């Protein structure tokens, strides 16, 4: 597992704005309010969102300007947070998010309990569910491989480029669960999965995501090769039906139709 970046304290200015927003959210019915994301970790940049999370049943604008900050506010219930700890699609960010969270309002200790749960959480809690989710994901994205090949062979360049990017992005997400990665931000996901998967994967991902300039056909081929690597890496998780779908998708190439 890739190491987490070293945490520091939030800036005084970020805390000042977060506490000001917290007061408004309490008036709107918040049971608990906490700061998460890069500013909570003391790693915020001038254009980083100030991520304020709320436990409760109220509502507020999801995005607003507060002086120099873009404040991103999201509400969830206790049940939704409990479910997130069991959801393979969410837990990679949820657990480290809670671990680094700065609690701003918590009269009933709800947020503190979630932080304690995050600190003690391990992948063993969701291992079976995580493997099943990975198998479903790699099978589902086999359809995107078919679509990518069809678009590329039919010279639908814009559509091919869009599917190529989606494939490169989402392969990383289910491989992160496969390899039990926790990442503080999705911004770090692609770097961390590349580190785990090795040099070939890293090279292909950079081409498929456009970091390295390449002709469209080559970048589409790179996305297909990423899928092939993912299919090989997850093969043991697939049942016979899933394996047939994934293996056929893995065999597809971009040769133009004659």
């Amino acid at each position: 597992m890739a190491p987490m970046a070293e945490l520091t304290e939030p800036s005084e200015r970020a805390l000042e704005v977060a506490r000001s927003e917290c007061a408004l959210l309490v008036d709107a019915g918040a049971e608990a309010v906490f700061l998460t994301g890069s500013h909570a970790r003391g790693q915020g940049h001038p254009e980083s969102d100030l991520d304020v999370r709320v436990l409760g049943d109220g509502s507020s604008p999801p995005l607003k300007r507060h002086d120099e900050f873009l404040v991103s506010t999201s509400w969830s219930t206790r049940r939704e947070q409990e479910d997130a700890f069991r959801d393979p699609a969410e837990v990679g960010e949820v657990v480290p998010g809670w671990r680094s969270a700065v609690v701003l309002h918590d009269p009933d200790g709800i947020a503190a309990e979630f932080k304690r749960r995050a600190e003690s959480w391990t992948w063993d809690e969701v291992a079976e569910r995580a493997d099943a989710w990975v198998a479903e994901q790699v099978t589902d994205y086999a359809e995107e491989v078919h679509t990518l090949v069809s678009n590329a062979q039919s010279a639908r360049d814009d559509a091919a480029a869009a599917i190529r990017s989606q494939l490169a992005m989402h392969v990383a997400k289910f491989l992160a669960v496969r390899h039990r990665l926790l990442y503080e931000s999705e911004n770090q996901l692609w770097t961390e999965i590349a580190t785990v998967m090795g040099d070939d994967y890293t090279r292909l991902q950079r081409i498929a995501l456009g970091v390295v300039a390449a002709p469209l056909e080559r970048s589409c081929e790179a996305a297909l090769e990423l899928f092939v690597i993912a299919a090989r890496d997850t093969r043991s998780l697939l049942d016979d039906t899933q394996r047939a779908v994934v293996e056929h998708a893995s065999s597809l190439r971009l040769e133009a139709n004659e």
Side-chain angles (χ1 to χ4, degrees), residues 89-168:
E90 296 188 47
V91 75
E93 287 186 87
V94 166
V95 167
W98 271 110
R99 288 176 179 175
S100 63
V102 176
V103 177
L104 304 171
H105 174 77
D106 191 29
D108 298 321
I110 305 168
E113 179 57 35
F114 278 122
K115 275 184 69 72
R116 284 192 291 270
R117 180 170 182 184
E119 290 294 341
S120 63
W121 186 92
T122 70
W123 280 100
D124 290 343
E125 297 183 30
V126 294
E128 185 174 346
R129 184 177 300 182
D131 287 344
W133 182 82
V134 170
E136 291 169 1
Q137 290 293 299
V138 69
T139 306
D140 286 348
Y141 275 92
E143 184 176 6
E144 299 301 303
V145 170
H146 284 256
T147 304
L148 173 55
V149 171
S150 176
N151 284 328
Q153 291 182 346
S154 302
R156 293 189 289 263
D157 290 353
D158 291 352
I163 298 299
R164 170 209 64 199
S165 299
Q166 290 178 26
L167 194 58

Side-chain angles (χ1 to χ4, degrees), residues 181-254:
L181 292 184
L182 298 176
Y183 43 97
E184 295 167 342
S185 165
E186 193 174 82
N187 294 329
Q188 300 170 351
L189 170 60
W190 291 277
T191 299
E192 293 194 12
I193 196 63
T195 300
V196 169
M197 297 302 295
D199 292 343
D200 284 347
Y201 187 97
T202 300
R203 175 180 55 82
L204 293 166
Q205 179 176 258
R206 288 173 65 82
I207 295 171
L209 291 174
V211 178
V212 175
L216 176 61
E217 182 177 356
R218 178 62 193 119
S219 66
C220 290
E221 288 172 345
L224 295 178
E225 291 174 53
L226 287 177
F227 181 83
V228 170
I229 292 173
R232 186 166 57 244
D233 192 56
T234 60
R235 189 178 189 279
S236 64
L237 305 181
L238 308 179
D239 62 28
D240 289 343
T241 299
Q242 292 169 328
R243 191 172 296 118
V245 170
V246 170
E247 287 182 351
H248 178 77
S250 297
S251 73
L252 297 179
R253 297 295 180 267
L254 295 184

Side-chain angles (χ1 to χ4, degrees), residues 60-72:
S60 60
L63 290 174
K64 64 184 288 190
R65 296 297 307 182
H66 186 131
D67 297 335
E68 72 271 33
F69 289 98
L70 176 65
V71 180
S72 171

